[in-house]
Amino acid sequence: MSEKTPLLHYRLTSSASPDTNDASKHSGTTVGRGGRGSKDKTTQKLGVVFGVVTPTLLSMFSVVVFLRIGFVVGQAGLYQAIGMYLVAYFIITMTVLSVCAISTNGALDAGGAYYMISRALGPEFGGSIGIMFFFANVCGSALYILGLVEAVISAFGIPEGGAAGLHQVLPSGYFWSLLYGTVLLFLCFIVCLVGANIYSKATFIILIIVAAVLTSVFTSFFIVGPVVVILPDVAVLNGTSWQALNYTGFKLDTLEDNLLPSYTVDYTTGSMMTFTTVFAVMFNGCTGIMAGSNMSGDLKNPSYSIPRGTIVAVIITFITYNLLSLLSAWTCERHLLQRDYSFLGDINVWPPLVTVGIYSSAMSASMSNLIGASRILYALSKDNLFGGVLALARKTSSNGNPWAAVLVSWLLVQVVLFSGKLNTIASIVTIFFLLVYTAVNMACLALEWASAPNFRPSFRCFTWHTCTLGIIGCLVMMFLINAIYAFASIAFMLLLLMIIHYIGPISNWGYISQALIFHQVRKYLLRLDVRKDHVKFWRPQLLLMVANPRSCTSLLTFINDLKKSGLFVLGHVKLDVLDRLPFDPLQSRYDSWLSLVDHLNIKAFVNLTMADSVRQGIQNLLFITGFGGMRPNTLVLGFYDDCIPQDHLQGKVLRSRGYGLDAVRPSKDPSEQRTPGFPNVRGADDPKDLQEEEYVSVIADAVKMGKNVTLARYFSQFNREEVLKSGRKIGGNRSRKTLFVDVWPLNLLRPDSHGYVDTCSLFLLQLACVLQESRAWSQAKLRLYLCVEDGCSLKKKEETKLRAMLKELRISAHVQMVAWDQVVALHWHKQEGKEVGNVVESALNEELRERIEEDDQEPDIQKFPNNATQLTDDYICAVNNMIRRHGAPQPAVRFLYLPRPPADSSRYLAYLNHLDLLSRDLGPTLLIHGVTPVITTDL
């Protein structure tokens, strides 16, 4: 079973045909989805010893165990050497614990560390780390080959200026070294090309050789007596007298002399050694812990083999290094350790045996890196992170061996061999490995912090503390080895991360970032206490009701600008009853809506509901949308008119993010899969989903629930790109056409109203200011229109009061006085022409209006009065003409005062007709009614 197989599907298929499954175990095939057999099991033959312990031991030993033990003890002393091993193994042990935890949490496929990181941290992080891990293995393989070539030439090569011994028969030089390296690499390539099975057998044979060499080394300490070791010429520094040094055997005096550090010049490089440099050299021998994990695709049971094999290998190498350090400090003089790094061969019972061990360990380490690189490349190609660039590496042989990936890896190692010397990149290879270990610890830490119920590894010997210590330790070691290379490797990783983010496909592996975000959002939502809300921290939280997204994309983008870092929710009501349906049809529609959000590049949530009426559905959304303090406070509706909706998504392609790297697509035709999944727009003869009375009832319901209401009209004429382009600065100069936003804060349907400073007017000003403060509308200018009568003595006083209020509220707006005597006269002329029989009714309405005005002064008490003033169509048309007459230059959008709906439902049609006449032909317009205080002058 792979990570992509649903558990229920796996259990049903496995239990339904036990005979088939038994047969597949013997034949090496598995019954997959649809009954197809696969050959995957034929390659997964390796167990704990052959698959994990052997490659990990050989990678960690390499040549360090034979050539660097004396260097570490001679420079740092026994105390510091043991301390270095403790620190180094503490760091890698923390990483091993993370590897064990991740590998025992589910099905593990080919790719090792890359597979673990990518499935935990996502394709961007995993892909960038995987590429770096691949190159690290490629360069590591070349490093070991070149090291082996240098060792062979130093032992068997003809010296440049001197007498050659009987065994020194190999010619030397750049091209000869390249030839030797090519031959050795080709042998490794042949072994890896045959398959993991022959590789495991070859490495096991090499492990036996290395074990035999180590046994001889340990035995030699006890058998060989005191001898004099003649130093090679290259170890004699500037005429020093130390040309012959002593191997003393077990002596306490020798041990006491080697306990403390004595840093000196390294005879191979001529550099002065310090604790940091010695520690960096020693740590290079501890960076092979992922060799077994790289074989995850070739293991019978990766979740069982990787933790056990890796821990066993780490314990064996730790004991071996410390025992060799103790025996070397007890038996060898300090200068012997400092001047002869190959002293183990000089004191061995049979010196050539150590040379065989060095050659064997170098060869096995090169093979381990080569096959590890091929498995990582194969995993990267399968995940298709780089499109068709790695398509060739997906090819496998009949037994499942990725021969194409092995071939590509071999060619790249061969290219690296042409450089001849790799000392310049040796440190960065180690840093690449450390960066991979850091990422593994980060992956485990993220999984632990996310507290996801499905993260329950069978290996429990880890906590977030061990992951954190592993991250810190790896990062510290990176900068200790080489700070410049550490910065360069991190920058390279970030570059790869961005490339994969922009060109790579979307995965459905599950993003750990989503789990972490959920964990943090839940925690902070619980802390977001609605009882601590304050008006000075108010922000718009909008619920926009959408009948069909095809006809309102312009409105969606405009409301996105209006939200000012607040909540923006797209609501939709499907008219149906769940009792009559076999399943919920809304779940399958979320992908289309979320794809629309991505396509329009807006920051919005989507909330769909089902009800038997639009009014009931909107009530449900207003009741349940949001959590805690994140609930909509403003309802946005499209205007109810007879305009024929236009399809703005016709011919558009919405790229759905519902399909990932492992998703199975029903069809490969993009036109079938990525066209918007919304119904066609309503035709001219098609009925509407709600009637006029129900529409006004929705507005009344929202006001009753304490929600602000905004009606948007003519936004089908709104083109955001053209509007904002007209007001944008070009080359530091403002374009000729200025962007205006007109605000009419007076209730124009109550001509007897004299107040500008009520809750609704201030809400109108606040929304206009919020729009202007958004980045896209920062160049817009507010025009505030103050309606006054020429003969009114309060004209100057009202203007002064309004300007003072704007200054206190920090709102920058151009105030224009509008004389509307003739408009108001139309209203009063009609009122005076009424019959005497209506005098009593007018008196009662006037009394009611006075009570309304008193109630308006108490914002905490919300009333729903009748519209006492009997408005005429002539008056409202005159108001509409006044607004259009004072709209030059043409504004981008207008903000108008929306009166409360009448308490008498029989007057809903008249109320809607008044709004229609008021806003007719005004262009993009928002009619706004506010019920909550949103502005304060307090600090």
Side-chain angles (χ1 to χ4, degrees):
M1 181 179 70
S2 69
E3 62 162 355
K4 303 178 287 292
T5 308
L7 184 61
L8 180 62
H9 173 83
Y10 172 75
R11 290 173 59 86
L12 288 175
T13 54
S14 61
S15 61
S17 55
D19 297 336
T20 305
N21 289 335
D22 292 340
S24 66
K25 292 179 182 178
H26 294 290
S27 63
T29 61
T30 58
V31 178
R33 187 171 299 180
R36 293 187 299 267
S38 67
K39 294 284 186 180
D40 293 341
K41 289 293 182 182
T42 59
T43 60
Q44 300 178 356
K45 297 179 178 179
L46 306 181
V48 178
V49 176
F50 286 97
V52 182
V53 176
T54 299
T56 305
L57 278 176
L58 292 176
S59 295
M60 296 185 71
F61 278 147
S62 63
V63 296
V64 175
V65 69
F66 299 111
L67 297 179
R68 289 296 180 264
I69 291 294
F71 166 78
V72 173
V73 177
Q75 297 286 347
L78 182 61
Y79 287 157
Q80 287 194 7
I82 293 177
M84 288 179 182
Y85 288 126
L86 290 174
V87 172
Y89 273 82
F90 175 79
I91 294 173
I92 66 172
T93 299
M94 298 301 102
T95 304
V96 168
L97 295 180
S98 299
V99 171
C100 295
I102 298 176
S103 63
T104 59
N105 188 54
L108 195 61
D109 208 342
Y114 158 72
Y115 190 88
M116 299 178 191
I117 297 169
S118 62
R119 266 49 177 185
L121 301 183
E124 295 92 350
F125 209 100
S128 58
I129 290 293
I131 288 293
M132 297 182 68
F133 199 25
F134 168 72
F135 283 119
N137 278 275
V138 167
C139 295
S141 179
L143 276 171
Y144 288 120
I145 289 292
L146 288 175
L148 179 57
V149 169
E150 291 179 2
V152 170
I153 291 178
S154 64
F156 302 101
I158 301 174
E160 294 182 1
L166 296 177
H167 60 282
Q168 295 175 318
V169 295
L170 296 178
S172 58
Y174 169 77
F175 290 102
W176 286 107
S177 298
L178 180 61
L179 176 62
Y180 303 149
T182 302
V183 172
L184 294 173
L185 177 61
F186 187 75
L187 294 177
C188 297
F189 167 68
I190 293 299
V191 173
C192 296
L193 188 62
V194 173
N197 192 27
I198 189 66
Y199 161 77
S200 64
K201 293 178 180 178
T203 53
F204 186 72
I205 294 173
I206 294 175
L207 179 63
I208 294 175
I209 296 174
V210 172
V213 175
L214 285 175
T215 302
S216 71
V217 168
F218 281 112
T219 305
S220 299
F221 280 113
F222 295 95
I223 295 178
V224 177
V227 296
V228 176
V229 179
I230 304 299
L231 295 183
D233 296 338
V234 294
V236 180
L237 292 175
N238 299 327
T240 180
S241 60
W242 299 103
Q243 298 182 2
L245 296 172
N246 295 322
Y247 166 77
T248 64
F250 290 100
K251 284 190 177 181
L252 290 178
D253 293 340
T254 304
L255 179 62
E256 291 175 357
D257 291 339
N258 291 328
L259 292 178
L260 300 178
S262 177
Y263 294 105
T264 184
V265 176
D266 177 22
Y267 73 87
T268 60
T269 62
S271 303
M272 184 66 187
M273 293 294 101
T274 62
F275 178 87
T276 303
T277 55
V278 174
F279 187 48
V281 171
M282 183 276 302
F283 193 80
N284 288 335
C286 305
T287 55
I289 57 174
M290 302 299 292
S293 302
N294 290 341
M295 302 297 296
S296 57
D298 301 294
L299 300 176
K300 289 181 181 178
N301 189 349
S303 298
Y304 177 87
S305 302
I306 289 177
R308 288 164 175 79
T310 306
I311 292 175
V312 168
V314 168
I315 293 174
I316 291 175
T317 55
F318 177 75
I319 294 174
T320 302
Y321 282 144
N322 281 276
L323 282 179
L324 283 176
S325 299
L326 175 61
L327 294 176
S328 300
W330 204 339
T331 58
C332 301
E333 290 184 351
R334 172 66 62 91
H335 293 286
L336 174 62
L337 299 176
Q338 292 177 341
R339 299 291 184 263
D340 186 9
Y341 298 157
S342 60
F343 75 98
L344 291 178
D346 298 329
I347 65 173
N348 197 271
V349 290
W350 188 44
L353 193 59
V354 175
T355 304
V356 173
I358 294 174
Y359 295 170
S360 301
S361 59
M363 197 75 172
S364 66
S366 179
M367 278 194 298
S368 176
N369 281 270
L370 179 59
I371 199 169
S374 66
R375 275 18 181 203
I376 297 168
L377 182 62
Y378 176 64
L380 286 166
S381 64
K382 281 204 309 180
D383 289 338
N384 197 27
L385 293 182
F386 297 91
V389 177
L390 302 179
L392 176 64
R394 297 188 205 130
K395 298 183 180 297
T396 60
S397 61
S398 59
N399 62 353
N401 184 41
W403 62 268
V406 176
L407 178 63
V408 173
S409 302
W410 168 67
L411 291 175
L412 288 177
V413 175
Q414 183 63 54
V415 170
V416 178
L417 286 180
F418 279 99
S419 64
K421 301 289 184 180
L422 290 183
N423 292 336
T424 55
I425 65 170
S427 297
I428 202 169
V429 170
T430 303
I431 289 174
F432 275 14
F433 280 112
L434 285 172
L435 199 57
V436 173
Y437 302 161
T438 304
V440 171
N441 285 298
M442 288 178 60
C444 189
L445 178 64
L447 290 169
E448 179 70 9
W449 274 355
S451 301
N454 281 323
F455 182 63
R456 44 179 184 270
S458 56
F459 182 86
R460 298 300 306 171
C461 299
F462 79 100
T463 65
W464 69 268
H465 303 87
T466 61
C467 302
T468 305
L469 290 174
I471 293 172
I472 296 173
C474 291
L475 290 175
V476 169
M477 276 308 307
M478 285 172 56
F479 287 94
L480 280 179
I481 292 173
N482 193 308
I484 296 177
Y485 287 168
F487 279 117
S489 61
I490 293 175
F492 182 53
M493 180 199 71
L494 294 177
L495 176 62
L496 290 173
L497 190 147
M498 290 188 293
I499 292 174
I500 298 174
H501 176 74
Y502 286 108
I503 72 171
I506 303 300
S507 77
N508 65 347
W509 302 332
Y511 288 81
I512 191 63
S513 59
Q514 296 298 304
L516 291 172
I517 291 171
F518 176 88
H519 183 73
Q520 295 300 313
V521 167
R522 180 193 61 84
K523 180 172 69 174
Y524 286 109
L525 273 177
L526 292 173
R527 296 184 182 181
L528 190 60
D529 193 345
V530 294
R531 296 169 295 183
K532 299 178 181 179
D533 283 347
H534 194 277
V535 62
K536 65 184 178 182
F537 299 120
W538 179 91
R539 67 183 68 221
Q541 303 194 80
L542 309 171
L543 172 61
L544 172 61
M545 296 306 305
V546 180
N548 191 336
R550 291 180 178 273
S551 59
C552 60
T553 55
S554 298
L555 179 60
L556 295 178
T557 56
F558 177 79
I559 299 299
N560 184 67
D561 292 334
L562 191 62
K563 69 179 186 302
K564 182 57 177 176
S565 302
L567 181 67
F568 182 21
V569 181
L570 303 181
H572 173 73
V573 179
K574 177 176 174 55
L575 296 180
D576 214 328
V577 179
L578 191 60
D579 293 340
R580 298 196 294 259
L581 301 174
F583 59 87
D584 181 10
L586 298 179
Q587 298 303 318
S588 60
R589 298 192 178 186
Y590 272 96
D591 184 64
S592 296
W593 283 83
L594 294 175
S595 299
L596 176 70
V597 170
D598 296 333
H599 173 73
L600 297 177
N601 195 25
I602 61 177
K603 298 178 180 179
F605 298 96
V606 176
N607 205 350
L608 311 180
T609 189
M610 184 186 300
D612 54 1
S613 69
V614 175
R615 181 183 181 185
Q616 185 63 44
I618 295 178
Q619 286 181 3
N620 295 339
L621 290 176
L622 288 174
F623 276 125
I624 67 173
T625 299
F627 292 97
M630 292 191 68
R631 291 183 178 275
N633 54 29
T634 304
L635 174 65
V636 183
L637 301 172
F639 196 81
Y640 194 98
D641 54 22
D642 295 328
C643 294
I644 305 301
Q646 303 296 321
D647 189 350
H648 299 292
L649 293 179
Q650 187 174 7
K652 302 289 185 181
V653 175
L654 306 187
R655 295 191 177 275
S656 172
R657 295 187 180 182
Y659 295 112
L661 298 177
D662 299 326
V664 179
R665 296 176 186 247
S667 173
K668 295 183 179 180
D669 187 359
S671 63
E672 296 180 9
Q673 294 300 323
R674 295 183 176 180
T675 52
F678 304 112
N680 295 327
V681 296
R682 175 176 55 85
D685 300 329
D686 296 334
K688 296 182 179 181
D689 290 336
L690 77 166
Q691 301 304 314
E692 292 92 333
E693 294 86 351
E694 186 180 5
Y695 177 79
V696 181
S697 298
V698 169
I699 301 174
D701 292 342
V703 176
K704 290 178 184 178
M705 299 169 67
K707 308 295 184 183
N708 309 299
V709 179
T710 298
L711 306 182
R713 189 174 192 185
Y714 293 125
F715 273 87
S716 59
Q717 306 171 7
F718 179 79
N719 189 317
R720 183 176 183 271
E721 293 183 359
E722 292 183 1
V723 168
L724 297 181
K725 184 179 180 180
S726 65
R728 190 174 299 143
K729 287 185 177 181
I730 301 175
N733 300 318
R734 190 183 303 278
S735 61
R736 294 182 179 179
K737 187 176 180 181
T738 305
L739 188 63
F740 290 107
V741 175
D742 288 359
V743 181
W744 295 77
L746 180 67
N747 185 356
L748 299 174
L749 299 186
R750 280 187 60 180
D752 55 341
S753 175
H754 299 290
Y756 279 88
V757 190
D758 64 352
T759 299
C760 187
S761 298
L762 293 177
F763 183 78
L764 203 71
L765 287 172
Q766 179 75 313
L767 279 190
C769 185
V770 165
L771 179 65
Q772 185 189 33
E773 289 180 354
S774 65
R775 181 179 300 177
W777 292 77
S778 60
Q779 304 301 324
K781 297 295 184 182
L782 296 185
R783 293 189 301 197
L784 187 60
Y785 292 93
L786 181 62
C787 296
V788 296
E789 299 179 29
D790 284 339
C792 180
S793 60
L794 298 178
K795 176 180 177 180
K796 190 65 178 178
K797 184 179 178 181
E798 287 290 334
E799 181 180 0
T800 304
K801 181 180 177 181
L802 182 61
R803 293 185 184 276
M805 181 190 70
L806 292 176
K807 184 177 180 181
E808 287 186 8
L809 298 178
R810 292 89 58 202
I811 297 177
S812 175
H814 175 63
V815 179
Q816 293 189 17
M817 311 302 293
V818 179
W820 68 330
D821 302 67
Q822 297 180 354
V823 177
V824 175
L826 286 175
H827 169 69
W828 293 119
H829 176 72
K830 292 291 183 180
Q831 292 295 316
E832 293 173 358
K834 291 190 176 185
E835 297 179 357
V836 179
N838 293 332
V839 172
V840 176
E841 181 182 354
S842 298
L844 293 175
N845 288 337
E846 184 66 27
E847 181 182 356
L848 179 60
R849 185 164 62 253
E850 292 176 358
R851 290 204 304 266
I852 294 169
E853 292 176 355
E854 293 176 359
D855 293 338
D856 286 344
Q857 298 176 0
E858 301 179 15
D860 294 335
I861 303 176
Q862 297 180 356
K863 301 292 183 181
F864 305 95
N866 228 338
N867 191 353
T869 307
Q870 299 298 317
L871 300 175
T872 64
D873 291 350
D874 292 340
Y875 164 74
I876 300 175
C877 289
V879 172
N880 176 269
N881 290 330
M882 179 186 67
I883 296 174
R884 285 190 288 172
R885 193 168 58 249
H886 289 84
Q890 179 72 18
V893 63
R894 286 185 172 94
F895 287 67
L896 301 184
Y897 191 116
L898 174 67
R900 289 174 176 171
D904 185 1
S905 60
S906 64
R907 304 192 59 192
Y908 280 177
L909 291 179
Y911 171 79
L912 188 57
N913 180 59
H914 292 165
L915 298 181
D916 177 45
L917 294 175
L918 177 66
S919 59
R920 182 171 294 176
D921 299 327
L922 292 183
T925 303
L926 291 181
L927 293 97
I928 301 170
H929 183 80
V931 298
T932 55
V934 295
I935 288 182
T936 180
T937 57
D938 296 337
L939 182 62

